[in-house]
């Protein structure tokens, strides 16, 4: 008789990875796949929720310094953006009208667990997560969230979702490359003006025209921190198991132009930018989001 061992969040590799975390034993136990998950019914998301920061909230995508959830790449219902929600609705009308957005402008990884709790309370079957830019976009480099803290917070947040919605799925989008943002806007006097007046992402965008060795090194360090966050995201998602999918750095690697940025701040995606994120991230869900991945498991 064949026996299958549960690997999600309990593999030896992942245990070694998270030994630095406080309370890892309790967390691992929380995330263990429940015994008896033998359902063969196709997975059909009825309720979805966007979690994260200003990008998922659609901030500045349709107005002056306001969230615009209708333009969100995740749960927006504007036809131009063609969000995950609209694509799912085109496949199965059961999700129609059940697109929740708990993303908050300015949120950091410290806020994700609270957003997860809201999604669980509302019975979300599918959540998208894009968070971390504000962990790096702070006033000084020394205030950036350490990578191990960021990873622990992501792990704990996904633990909460697994516990509350064991049959749900999680999509994790990578954090955009803010150095690419600097590169496309550094020669534009209007963009530089907005960055300066609004004190937008000073760790990366301060002194945008400077070519000094110190400023070049600073930008590289901030980009490196975001790349490390994205690597942590991928590790946590992979350890979660087949019910989590990451975008494989699709957003981080995506080229974009000033035409994809809001003219209110030259930082957040406008409608075109939100559409680009929706397109690239949904491509990463092919063969996963509409298939049943909860196969029968037997713990020895």
């Amino acid at each position: 008789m064949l026996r299958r061992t549960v690997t999600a969040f309990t593999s030896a590799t992942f245990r070694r990875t998270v030994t630095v975390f406080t309370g890892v034993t309790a967390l691992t136990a929380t995330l263990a796949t429940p015994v008896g998950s033998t359902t063969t019914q196709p997975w059909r998301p009825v309720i979805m929720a966007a979690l994260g920061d200003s990008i998922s909230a659609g901030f500045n995508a349709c107005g002056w310094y306001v969230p615009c959830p209708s333009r969100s790449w995740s749960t927006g219902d504007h036809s131009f953006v063609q969000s995950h929600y609209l694509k799912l609705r085109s496949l199965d009308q059961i999700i129609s009208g059940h697109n929740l957005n708990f993303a908050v402008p300015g949120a950091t990884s410290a806020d994700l667990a609270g957003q997860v709790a809201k999604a669980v309370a509302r019975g979300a079957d599918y959540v998208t997560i894009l968070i971390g830019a504000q962990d790096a976009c702070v006033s000084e480099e020394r205030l950036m969230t350490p990578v191990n803290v960021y990873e622990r917070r992501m792990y704990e947040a996904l633990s909460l979702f697994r516990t509350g919605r064991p049959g749900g799925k999680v999509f994790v989008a990578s954090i955009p490359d803010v150095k690419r943002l600097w590169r496309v806007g550094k020669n534009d006097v209007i963009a530089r003006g907005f960055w300066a007046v609004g004190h937008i992402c000073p760790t990366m965008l301060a002194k945008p025209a400077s070519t000094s060795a110190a400023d070049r090194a600073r930008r590289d360090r901030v980009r490196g921190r975001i790349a490390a966050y994205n690597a942590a995201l991928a590790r946590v998602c992979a350890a979660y198991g087949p019910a989590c999918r990451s975008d494989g750095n699709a957003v981080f690697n995506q080229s974009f132009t000033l035409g994809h940025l809001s003219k209110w701040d030259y930082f957040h995606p406008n409608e075109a930018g939100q559409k680009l994120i929706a397109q690239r991230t949904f491509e990463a869900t092919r063969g996963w989001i509409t298939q049943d991945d909860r196969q029968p498991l037997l713990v020895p």
Side-chain angles (χ1 to χ4, degrees):
M1 177 179 179
L2 294 177
R3 295 165 70 83
R4 186 181 301 227
T5 302
V6 178
T7 57
F9 274 97
T10 58
S11 68
T13 299
F14 187 72
R15 286 199 298 272
R16 288 193 297 270
T17 302
V18 300
T19 51
V20 296
F21 297 156
T22 302
V24 64
T25 301
L27 285 173
T28 303
T30 299
L31 287 167
T33 303
V35 177
S37 299
T38 58
T39 180
T40 57
Q41 294 297 316
W43 181 78
R44 299 176 69 195
V46 177
I47 300 172
M48 76 167 291
L51 312 180
D53 54 26
S54 52
I55 296 178
S56 294
F59 190 78
N60 274 358
C62 68
W64 173 262
Y65 279 78
V66 293
C68 192
S70 66
R71 268 68 166 184
S72 169
W73 66 272
S74 172
T75 54
D77 57 10
H78 193 279
S79 59
F80 177 80
V81 174
Q82 284 300 297
S83 67
H84 281 223
Y85 165 69
L86 288 183
K87 288 181 169 66
L88 283 173
R89 196 178 70 177
S90 71
L91 298 171
D92 191 341
Q93 284 291 318
I94 193 172
I95 200 172
S96 182
H98 301 296
N99 50 327
L100 308 173
N101 196 315
F102 298 118
V104 178
T108 71
S109 57
D111 302 304
L112 184 59
Q115 294 181 19
V116 168
K118 292 179 181 179
V120 167
R122 296 292 295 274
D125 306 291
Y126 174 56
V127 298
T128 67
I129 297 173
L130 199 175
I131 198 163
Q134 295 303 319
D135 288 85
C137 285
V138 287
S139 58
E140 302 176 51
E141 279 187 80
R142 64 181 181 84
L143 299 177
M144 293 191 297
T145 302
V147 176
N148 66 322
V149 173
Y150 178 85
E151 187 165 357
R152 172 175 53 80
R153 289 171 176 171
M154 296 302 301
Y155 187 83
E156 292 173 343
L158 267 65
S159 300
L160 292 175
F161 187 71
R162 168 63 62 81
T163 300
R165 301 295 296 166
K169 288 189 177 184
V170 182
F171 180 82
V172 178
S174 53
I175 306 159
D177 183 353
V178 292
K179 187 176 181 183
R180 190 185 301 272
L181 173 71
W182 165 79
R183 191 176 296 118
V184 301
K186 65 184 177 67
N187 294 322
D188 187 282
V189 64
I190 298 177
R192 295 201 308 266
F194 272 98
W195 295 346
V197 172
H199 302 286
I200 297 173
C201 196
T203 46
M204 176 61 71
L205 301 179
K207 302 179 182 178
S210 173
T211 60
S212 73
D215 287 320
R216 292 200 306 268
R218 167 178 53 85
R219 295 178 196 121
D220 287 342
R221 288 192 299 270
V222 175
R223 184 179 189 272
R225 181 63 60 94
I226 290 175
Y229 291 161
N230 284 332
L233 284 172
R235 286 193 298 271
V236 173
C237 186
Y240 192 94
C244 184
R245 175 67 62 90
S246 67
D247 73 353
N249 266 356
V251 174
F252 181 77
N253 293 330
Q254 178 61 50
S255 297
F256 55 86
T257 68
L258 285 177
H260 293 107
L261 301 178
S262 170
K263 296 304 185 287
W264 304 124
D265 60 11
Y266 288 85
F267 181 77
H268 291 93
N270 59 14
E271 280 187 351
Q274 292 282 347
K275 180 175 184 176
L276 181 62
I277 295 172
Q279 178 183 4
R280 292 306 313 278
T281 54
F282 201 78
E283 288 172 358
T285 71
R286 294 186 187 278
W288 171 77
I289 198 171
T290 57
Q291 290 185 352
D292 181 23
D293 65 352
R294 292 169 294 159
Q295 300 176 12
L297 300 173
L298 181 61
V299 179

